[in-house]
Amino acid sequence: LFKELVLTPGAHVRMEFRYRHRDGSWRWLECFATNLLEEPAVRAIVANYRDVTDRKEAENTLRASEELNRRIIEALPGGLVRVALDGSIVHANAEAQRLLGLSCEELRQVRVADFENRTLREDGSPCPVEEYPVSKCLKTLQTQPPTTIGVRRPANQILWAIFTASPLLDPETRRATR
């Protein structure tokens, strides 16, 4: 494995590779190699190996789950917007972008508070930011019930929609995630 690898004195290298275990299964190994000698003429390498098969399988499972979640979010028939704790918009699915009349890039440049002059209560009066379900959720970290709000789109059309908000909490700490 290392006959083609030349390490200069003190150099470190890390690599991963698959091999067939004696039981016939495929395993992943991680190798850390270091040339500990200081004379370039002597080519000696100390290598440490560890089995990382479980980690690689967990990473692949996580990647597949993330891809499934991404596809589900994009396929939702309703708008979904992810908002950071500071009120900035992190992501909006395609339906949210269509409904709000703004691209994801445009939405990333605004905060929830920037919609204040563009929102209406059901009676037609202005809807203050403090009444938005997302604002209440950010303040209390509690799921907020559905609320009907009118949003003035860029072409001055009013879109009426039902908004709700739920916090993303870390399953272990129960604290809000970014």
Side-chain angles (χ1 to χ4, degrees):
L1 176 67
F2 289 111
K3 64 182 171 181
E4 300 298 319
L5 180 66
V6 177
L7 290 176
T8 58
H12 305 284
V13 71
R14 178 194 166 277
M15 60 184 131
E16 292 180 352
F17 56 92
R18 284 181 68 199
Y19 75 100
R20 188 174 296 276
H21 192 270
R22 66 179 150 209
D23 69 6
S25 66
W26 284 96
R27 308 292 293 172
W28 280 95
L29 274 185
E30 178 179 61
C31 172
F32 293 97
T34 305
N35 181 351
L36 295 178
L37 302 175
E38 294 192 17
E39 296 180 32
V42 180
R43 293 192 176 137
I45 298 172
V46 174
N48 293 301
Y49 296 89
R50 70 177 171 170
D51 186 328
V52 293
T53 305
D54 291 342
R55 186 194 79 208
K56 293 291 265 186
E57 289 172 356
E59 288 171 354
N60 289 336
T61 300
L62 179 60
R63 254 191 305 281
S65 176
E66 288 171 342
E67 176 63 16
L68 176 61
N69 286 337
R70 187 191 63 73
R71 288 179 182 218
I72 290 169
I73 288 169
E74 286 306 316
L76 284 173
L80 184 126
V81 177
R82 183 169 175 216
V83 177
L85 293 172
D86 66 0
S88 60
I89 295 174
V90 177
H91 179 77
N93 71 353
E95 185 63 7
Q97 293 171 54
R98 186 188 72 74
L99 292 169
L100 297 172
L102 298 169
S103 70
C104 198
E105 198 53 46
E106 291 169 318
L107 285 167
R108 282 192 194 120
Q109 296 174 21
V110 297
R111 297 171 108 60
V112 170
D114 295 334
F115 283 89
E116 182 160 31
N117 295 325
R118 299 172 51 190
T119 57
L120 304 169
R121 293 185 183 118
E122 285 184 274
D123 65 6
S125 64
C127 183
V129 172
E130 300 79 35
E131 291 183 17
Y132 298 174
V134 68
S135 297
K136 292 177 181 179
C137 180
L138 289 170
K139 184 176 180 178
T140 66
L141 297 180
Q142 299 293 314
T143 298
Q144 297 301 306
T147 303
T148 302
I149 299 175
V151 179
R152 196 175 320 279
R153 294 171 40 132
N156 218 22
Q157 305 163 305
I158 296 177
L159 163 82
W160 289 96
I162 298 172
F163 293 85
T164 187
S166 294
L168 292 177
L169 301 177
D170 181 284
E172 291 180 16
T173 65
R174 304 301 298 160
R175 292 182 182 204
T177 62
R178 296 182 163 224

